[in-house]
Amino acid sequence: MSAAGSLLAVVPAAAVLLLTVATRPHAVGTVAPLRLAVVRAVLLAGAYAVLVVEVLGATHALTRPAFAVAWLFFLVAAALAAGLRRRRETRLGQSAAVVPLAVPVGAVVSGGGSEASAPTAERGEPAPAPPRAGRGPAGLLAAAVDTWRTARPGERLLAATIGGLVLVELLVALLAEPNNFDSQTYHLPKVEHWVAQGDLDFWPTAIHRQVTIPPGAEYLLLHLRLLTGGDHLYNLVQWVAGVVCVLVAARITAQLGGGRRAQLLTAFVLATTPMVVLQATSTQTDLVCAAWVACAATLALDGLRRRTGWGTLLGLGAATGLTAVTKTSGLIAVGPLLVLWGLAQLRLARPRSPAATDPAAGGAARRSWPVGGLARTVGGSVLILVVAAVVVGPFLARVTAEFGHPLGPPRLRESIPMERHDPASVVVNALRIGHTAFDTPLAPLRRAGAEVIISGAEAIGVDPQDRAITFGRELFPEPAWYPDEDRVAFPLAAVLAVIGAGIALGRPRQIAPDRAGSLRAYAVVVLTAVLLHTAMIKWQPWGNRLLVYAVVLAVPLAGLWLDAFFRRRAGAAAAGDAGASVGGRGRRSVATVAAVTVLATSALAGVLALSYGFPRRLVGAGSVFTTSDWDTRFLRRPQWADEFRWAATAVRDSGARRIGLVQQNDNWEYPWWLLLRQPDGGSPELVALQSVLPERPPADPASVDAIVCTGGKAACAKLVPAGWRLEFRGYVGYALPPGR
């Protein structure tokens, strides 16, 4: 990465930081305002990044200069917005001293007095908060130091563990080369195709996922690719998404009534979940999707107690669109969240009539929906959908034009979604998904659970391996305990979330006495999302990573329950338990030790996943410290590393310029883009000799100077022109015409 590329890569980060300053909420009583500002900033930056790609792609201008100009413009706009915000705060600070002289303090704080002096939050608009000293970097640092000083030892341990994991993940993300299997097949090749073409038009390919799978995360990678000239910072996209997930999950906990310890417990459980730890250093897309879903959740929860303003409506629309353009499965959760938001807004739009508070009316609490309030809720819902359509619409339009359906070709629509929806099939699918998510290293437990599910499925007339409810040719069960980024289970986080959800549904006042209604409603949404997922997505061995968004949404329930659990135990201890029996005190002690043990085990699981996880680890064979860059890319398939180099060297030495690709649907294409790059760093001219896109015919083998192949030799030989020399070594081969 060049020095210019390094400087350009800093621009998006700087813009997000400035946006965080510019979008700080000014409403009195806003929950976790700094984290809300982060949510607003990342949504603005994410939507802008997607729209920049769409606009420049439509004008055939996917080039480094164009992207540099776009981000410099965004940086200037963010700086101006931050400057205006600081000036506004300064003016408010100068006038704040005058306010108490003209208006009673009680009227300003509590909303007493005339309508003119009542807080605007009562009318659906947040009231401006008096400016607080210390909002700058120095003030934030002082606040952090004060928080650390006043924290209990247990809270410090939780915070230190979270911070340590996040920092080490950052180190791994920076040191490791992209080596995710799917990334080699379609995530990263699609970025290279865009760079080579200069636009977003579809291309002939044998790997349909390069054009049919939503490209939101790859759009973000495209920015880094053009700004830096390489893939060195690709892993940072998921790392940032992981940090956002932790911050937003903690804010959701606060919105549901959790204090500092509950928020730390939520962040701790999520940050130590092995799937989150491993994906935070990957070029997969699941954490990116989960981050957008979490942003939608926290904005929706803000709408449970106050009318939503235009800015939040735009944020909800952006979060919905970004989820849809990144991974459509995330909409399974966003849909119920928006329904919850809409119902809450309708409830808030139905104020008590004056007669409800008039004793002469008999105290009857009559409520009605004013036309204005109902229209505002409907209009807000439409605005959310319009903004979402602006973000995801261009991609859906291209897919519809290419395949006649916004969800792509039949093979995509039938491979992942459930094809049977009868209750028995859905139950069997849910049990298999649960078995894989809760998997542990205890093989006897895994086998026993699988046997029960298989026997039960057969008893109710469902084939547990039915292709209509099972992805591809996969067979249930499949071990998922090993810390692999694509498969690893999350039994501890799942168990804690299930317990928290159960109590939130049954006895919410035990967890959050002041927010019982909101807590129960949120638990219903999380449960609905999980049930919809199991009814709509087929079981697959790597299905755990598809559930990351649900884990992020459910973990706040675990944090709230754990906090309530420790609070009750502390209360019992403070009371002295004078009248309690020895057996009762012993049972409480055992329960406390068990809870602490679960947290310690969770921390151990996170540390082990980071240390020994696959395919990026700190220690052992394949360590990021001892493995070369090229070998790191091939840790999934070490035997292919030399084969790709051997074939690429022969093709480069031949002087070939136009190179044909022969591959199957799950083959690695990305190494060719790296090995065959032009001497000046330009993209090679790679063209597919097969195509699964009906309207995109493949190139004629006679029109290329060389052919590179992956997969089987027989499939390659069928496309090699007569008289060409074909060489094959294991997985990789190449063909050259006579005289080369």
Side-chain angles (χ1 to χ4, degrees), residues 8-361:
L8 288 175
V10 173
V11 172
V16 171
L17 290 176
L18 288 169
L19 282 177
T20 302
V21 174
T23 60
R24 284 199 313 270
H26 57 271
V28 173
T30 300
V31 176
L34 182 58
R35 277 170 272 171
L36 178 56
V38 171
V39 169
R40 292 172 172 176
V42 297
L43 287 175
L44 273 170
Y48 180 78
V50 169
L51 294 177
V52 164
V53 172
E54 292 290 355
V55 171
L56 295 181
T59 57
H60 305 282
L62 297 181
T63 63
R64 186 180 191 184
F67 273 66
V69 169
W71 277 110
L72 289 173
F73 170 80
F74 192 67
L75 178 65
V76 171
L80 290 174
L84 290 173
R85 176 60 185 267
R86 294 302 294 268
R87 283 200 207 98
R88 182 170 180 266
E89 289 179 350
T90 301
R91 289 197 301 271
L92 288 174
Q94 293 172 349
S95 61
V98 182
V99 173
L101 301 177
V103 182
V105 174
V108 175
V109 176
S110 65
S114 66
E115 175 68 20
S117 64
T120 55
E122 297 295 325
R123 304 190 299 272
E125 300 173 0
R132 298 192 300 271
R135 278 188 166 182
L140 292 176
L141 179 60
V145 171
D146 183 65
T147 300
W148 179 265
R149 183 179 56 81
T150 59
R152 298 175 179 176
E155 294 173 344
R156 293 182 181 180
L157 182 60
L158 293 174
T161 303
I162 297 166
L165 284 172
V166 169
L167 290 176
V168 178
E169 288 165 7
L170 174 60
L171 177 65
V172 175
L174 291 171
L175 291 178
E177 303 298 318
N179 61 0
N180 174 263
F181 194 102
D182 285 347
S183 297
Q184 308 290 343
T185 300
Y186 68 96
H187 289 310
L188 305 189
K190 72 169 65 174
V191 175
E192 295 301 323
H193 278 286
W194 294 332
V195 173
Q197 296 177 172
D199 57 40
L200 300 174
D201 290 346
F202 291 161
W203 53 89
T205 179
I207 304 173
H208 77 86
R209 292 176 294 174
Q210 291 183 358
V211 297
T212 57
I213 299 293
E218 290 89 342
Y219 281 175
L220 303 181
L221 296 180
L222 176 61
H223 286 269
L224 291 177
R225 169 67 174 86
L226 288 172
L227 292 177
T228 67
D231 60 10
H232 313 288
L233 301 182
Y234 277 7
N235 292 330
L236 291 185
V237 171
Q238 281 262 106
W239 180 81
V240 171
V243 172
V244 170
C245 286
V246 171
L247 292 175
V248 178
R251 183 174 192 265
I252 290 173
T253 304
Q255 290 173 288
L256 297 175
R260 182 169 65 188
R261 184 174 61 184
Q263 296 172 52
L264 282 171
L265 285 167
T266 294
F268 177 86
V269 172
L270 183 60
T272 56
T273 299
M275 179 63 78
V276 174
V277 171
L278 292 169
Q279 288 240 351
T281 62
S282 170
T283 46
Q284 266 291 9
T285 62
D286 304 287
L287 274 180
V288 178
C289 173
W292 302 137
V293 173
C295 288
T298 194
L299 293 180
L301 286 177
D302 277 339
L304 297 189
R305 290 178 172 268
R306 66 170 182 264
R307 297 306 303 276
T308 300
W310 294 111
T312 301
L313 289 174
L314 294 174
L316 281 169
T320 303
L322 288 168
T323 301
V325 81
T326 301
K327 212 175 190 72
T328 51
S329 58
L331 294 176
I332 294 173
V334 173
L337 286 167
L338 292 180
V339 170
L340 174 64
W341 169 85
L343 292 175
Q345 291 295 292
L346 287 174
R347 178 181 60 83
L348 293 172
R350 193 181 179 189
R352 290 178 181 272
S353 64
T357 56
D358 186 358

